[in-house]
Amino acid sequence: MYERGATELDRIITSVFLNDYVDSGCVPASEIAVVKAPGPSLNRDAFMTHGRTDPAKLRALHDRGHTIRLGNLQRVVPFLAAVSRDIQQETGYSNYVHAFMTPPGNQGLRHHWDQQLAVIAQISGIKRWQLWLPPVEAPMREFNESWRVWREDYIPGWDAAGPDIEIDLRPGQSLLLPRGWVHNPYVADPDAHSVHLTFAIRERTPLWLAEKLIAGAIEEPAFRRIVLPGDIAGAALAERVRETRDALVRYLGALDMDDIAVAVRRAARTELEYLS
């Protein structure tokens, strides 16, 4: 994957490594999700003792068919931190890495879509991915996320039609999953565990560029003046809005696009989180 290659990824991030991480009790509870389809994620109390992650409870839940998701491994595994930085340097896209450990013949998350591109890297076992074309256009955080616009007839309709694509992902293989594509992954093999990594890659958008363009407006006194309560509540509000729009157009027209491009590229390669 990228400069470091899938071979090195498979050699360093193994199912043994991830199992040892779980059994160590070092995984922060805030970075753990435990889920078994069709139910929701379990409350953290299900795998904590005295305010700490309890590896014995986690293992027992996994043995009963629950998927364990280990979040943000790029924060705790040096090799994955380096891979994450490489991805961002090459693409300008912020990203994070989750691991999913699913027991034989079981499923964690059911049908859903994500608001970012994902690269799935299968570490061990075989996971079957049923995929459907996006039901919404270009989902983002706070817009067209699956849980915000979900319809009860989605899953029955998808199941009745059958998947547009079905893939059995094997160890050493990877899957590029564009944002918005519906996926329903599960372990079909009743005898083999599945472990995979998800590299969630947050693509930049024109809205992100627009946010960068107006970020410097705070340095202009005109944009820091108070809008009076009477203006907000009264007929003058439309005029204040027009004045602000016109001021913004003037501000944007005066920007040096070459200088802005340099700053935006720097931000793209260094920002770790953003909201879109």
Side-chain angles (χ1 to χ4, degrees):
M1 180 177 296
Y2 296 93
E3 293 179 2
R4 296 178 180 269
T7 301
E8 191 175 2
L9 176 66
D10 294 342
R11 179 174 59 81
I12 296 176
I13 309 301
T14 65
S15 58
V16 173
F17 172 87
L18 293 171
N19 275 285
D20 287 346
Y21 182 43
V22 170
D23 292 339
S24 72
C26 294
V27 187
S30 60
E31 297 292 5
I32 297 172
V34 176
V35 63
K36 181 178 181 180
S41 295
L42 298 182
N43 187 282
R44 291 177 189 170
D45 290 341
F47 53 83
M48 294 178 67
T49 299
H50 303 307
R52 294 177 59 90
T53 300
D54 187 326
K57 287 184 176 180
L58 269 181
R59 186 60 61 192
L61 288 168
H62 188 262
D63 290 343
R64 294 201 297 270
H66 289 78
T67 290
I68 299 175
R69 189 219 70 194
L70 308 174
N72 284 301
L73 293 180
Q74 81 286 352
R75 296 178 180 173
V76 294
V77 181
F79 172 74
L80 290 178
V83 172
S84 177
R85 286 194 298 269
D86 284 352
I87 292 172
Q88 187 160 2
Q89 285 298 307
E90 183 174 334
T91 66
Y93 293 167
S94 175
N95 61 91
Y96 56 88
V97 189
H98 289 351
F100 291 82
M101 307 171 69
T102 304
N106 278 279
Q107 180 173 15
L109 297 172
R110 290 192 71 193
H111 312 62
H112 66 285
W113 66 83
D114 298 324
Q115 66 273 6
Q116 68 272 320
L117 168 74
V119 176
I120 313 300
Q122 191 70 20
I123 301 300
S124 66
I126 302 172
K127 200 153 202 179
R128 180 164 297 165
W129 289 78
Q130 294 181 324
L131 307 173
W132 288 262
L133 292 168
V136 300
E137 183 178 358
M140 297 171 58
R141 288 190 173 187
E142 300 185 357
F143 191 84
N144 277 346
E145 287 177 290
S146 57
W147 65 272
R148 294 179 188 274
V149 296
W150 191 259
R151 295 192 339 225
E152 293 301 320
D153 63 338
Y154 271 149
I155 291 180
W158 292 325
D159 285 344
D164 294 311
I165 301 173
E166 187 169 84
I167 299 169
D168 282 352
L169 205 62
R170 301 176 184 276
Q173 294 181 327
S174 59
L175 170 67
L176 180 67
L177 185 62
R179 65 173 171 151
W181 275 71
V182 176
H183 44 288
N184 181 48
Y186 62 95
V187 181
D189 190 333
D191 299 315
H193 292 77
S194 167
V195 176
H196 78 262
L197 300 180
T198 293
F199 291 80
I201 301 175
R202 294 179 173 177
E203 300 150 301
R204 308 300 186 182
T205 64
L207 181 60
W208 179 81
L209 292 178
E211 291 168 350
K212 298 304 175 191
L213 282 170
I214 66 171
I218 195 171
E219 299 176 10
E220 300 289 332
F223 290 104
R224 302 199 305 271
R225 292 175 184 153
I226 295 171
V227 178
L228 297 175
D231 287 348
I232 293 175
L237 181 58
E239 182 58 28
R240 298 292 85 77
V241 171
R242 280 192 292 270
E243 290 172 355
T244 302
R245 178 201 61 191
D246 294 344
L248 184 59
V249 169
R250 290 192 298 272
Y251 169 78
L252 292 173
L255 292 177
D256 185 312
M257 291 298 104
D258 291 333
D259 289 345
I260 292 295
V262 171
V264 168
R265 184 175 294 109
R266 184 186 309 116
R269 289 176 170 171
T270 57
E271 283 185 349
L272 298 180
E273 299 291 336
Y274 67 102
L275 297 180
S276 59

